Amino acid sequence: TSGDELLEIAIDSAVRHVSNCIEDEIRKIEILRPLSNRSEYGIIRKIGISGLGGEKVASALKDMQMVKSKCSVVLCISVSRHHSIEEVRQNIATQTGRLRSRKTDQTSAGSLDQYLPDNFLLLVDCIDGQIDLHDLKIPDCGFLVLTTQSQKVHEIMDLDLEIRMEDHLLPWKLFCWSVGPSLVHSSSVIQQMAAQLVKECHGHLRAIVLLARALKGVTDIGVWELALNQVLVKPKPNQIKPNQV
């Protein structure tokens, strides 16, 4: 299977992971807001994505309907070791002011509180993985997603959750293990169809295992094509009601 196909599987899985996390945390905030101060929520605010393809996860998040409806503003910035903390802050403030039609001066005392509204989403792509953002004062009223190809994402910023892109190849690894690695790699055509089958399962591990078991030992490409066609015309796993399983 080509690296691009495997990367698409990892990206698709990571997008679901992050979007579900943000949606769950916003729901938690809505429930807890009347009961406690913001600082007491215990919410996952800062998410780091390490490894190849993280920036594509962020790009997909930005375009999701859930994000557009739940987040008050979505900002995207790129940083590198050539940027100072103050330059990063000013970039965020300028973008926020532009989106909210507000005039921005220098950020006061290094704070972004006056610029970032509740439930903001800040997407930060660290191009070279060599900047220290620990002193970047991000308000606790929104969400930050930091992406970097570096595996040392915690050296860039303190995070509540780290997502490693390589971990999101689990659906592919599970399918190969269940159907038999030697079978999957016996034909480039079967490899391509296997990758598409896994992608169409959208991270539904039970569906992946059931498919793999059904195709275990099957070398007839026609049977694989039939399985793929069946998956393409059926409802996605997250659309299936319990009584349909």
Side-chain angles (χ1 to χ4, degrees):
T1 303
S2 72
D4 288 345
E5 289 171 324
L6 292 183
L7 184 59
E8 283 186 18
I9 292 172
I11 290 170
D12 185 63
S13 177
V15 168
R16 284 195 312 277
H17 188 171
V18 178
S19 62
N20 287 341
C21 180
I22 291 174
E23 189 171 23
D24 289 346
E25 296 307 306
I26 289 177
R27 188 179 300 114
K28 192 187 302 182
I29 292 170
E30 292 170 347
I31 294 172
L32 296 178
R33 180 177 286 128
L35 305 177
S36 62
N37 293 325
R38 177 185 297 160
S39 60
E40 297 174 354
Y41 291 163
I43 303 298
I44 294 175
R45 296 289 188 182
K46 299 176 183 177
I47 301 171
I49 304 177
S50 60
L52 187 65
E55 72 285 354
K56 293 185 178 181
V57 174
S59 178
L61 283 171
K62 178 184 64 175
D63 296 329
M64 290 187 68
Q65 185 57 43
M66 182 279 296
V67 169
K68 292 178 180 179
S69 63
K70 296 287 187 179
C71 297
S72 55
V73 63
V74 180
L75 305 175
C76 306
I77 65 170
S78 296
V79 299
S80 73
R81 65 181 183 277
H82 301 296
H83 294 100
S84 68
I85 289 291
E86 188 53 42
E87 286 175 329
V88 175
R89 287 195 189 106
Q90 193 60 40
N91 188 354
I92 296 170
T94 300
Q95 281 202 44
T96 309
R98 187 183 303 124
L99 290 172
R100 303 180 73 196
S101 301
R102 289 179 51 178
K103 183 179 179 181
T104 58
D105 300 313
Q106 290 294 317
T107 53
S108 59
S111 173
L112 290 164
D113 290 65
Q114 62 179 309
Y115 295 102
L116 292 171
D118 284 356
N119 290 345
F120 68 85
L121 175 60
L122 176 59
L123 305 171
V124 181
D125 182 31
C126 186
I127 298 170
D128 52 18
Q130 297 182 27
I131 190 172
D132 186 344
L133 297 178
H134 285 86
D135 292 332
L136 185 62
K137 298 177 181 178
I138 300 295
D140 64 355
C141 60
F143 301 91
L144 177 143
V145 176
L146 172 70
T147 59
T148 176
Q149 291 192 24
S150 169
Q151 297 299 322
K152 299 179 180 179
V153 65
H154 280 284
E155 292 184 3
I156 301 173
M157 175 185 287
D158 291 329
L159 301 164
D160 301 314
L161 173 67
E162 178 183 356
I163 294 174
R164 300 191 307 169
M165 290 299 293
E166 63 184 37
D167 292 343
H168 283 272
L169 287 176
L170 172 62
W172 172 253
K173 293 177 180 177
L174 179 62
F175 183 88
C176 290
W177 179 82
S178 300
V179 80
S182 59
L183 174 58
V184 173
H185 298 294
S186 64
S187 162
S188 60
V189 176
I190 287 179
Q191 286 181 11
Q192 291 173 358
M193 286 191 287
Q196 194 168 356
L197 282 167
V198 172
K199 186 176 179 182
E200 289 299 323
C201 286
H202 295 275
H204 196 286
L205 299 184
R206 182 166 177 252
I208 289 171
V209 171
L210 290 174
L211 264 176
R213 287 177 178 172
L215 292 168
K216 188 171 185 178
V218 176
T219 58
D220 187 339
I221 291 177
V223 176
W224 282 79
E225 289 176 340
L226 178 61
L228 180 57
N229 289 334
Q230 288 294 314
V231 170
L232 290 173
V233 299
K234 285 187 176 297
K236 299 298 182 291
N238 58 357
Q239 297 175 325
I240 299 175
K241 298 178 182 179
N243 60 3
Q244 292 179 299
V245 177

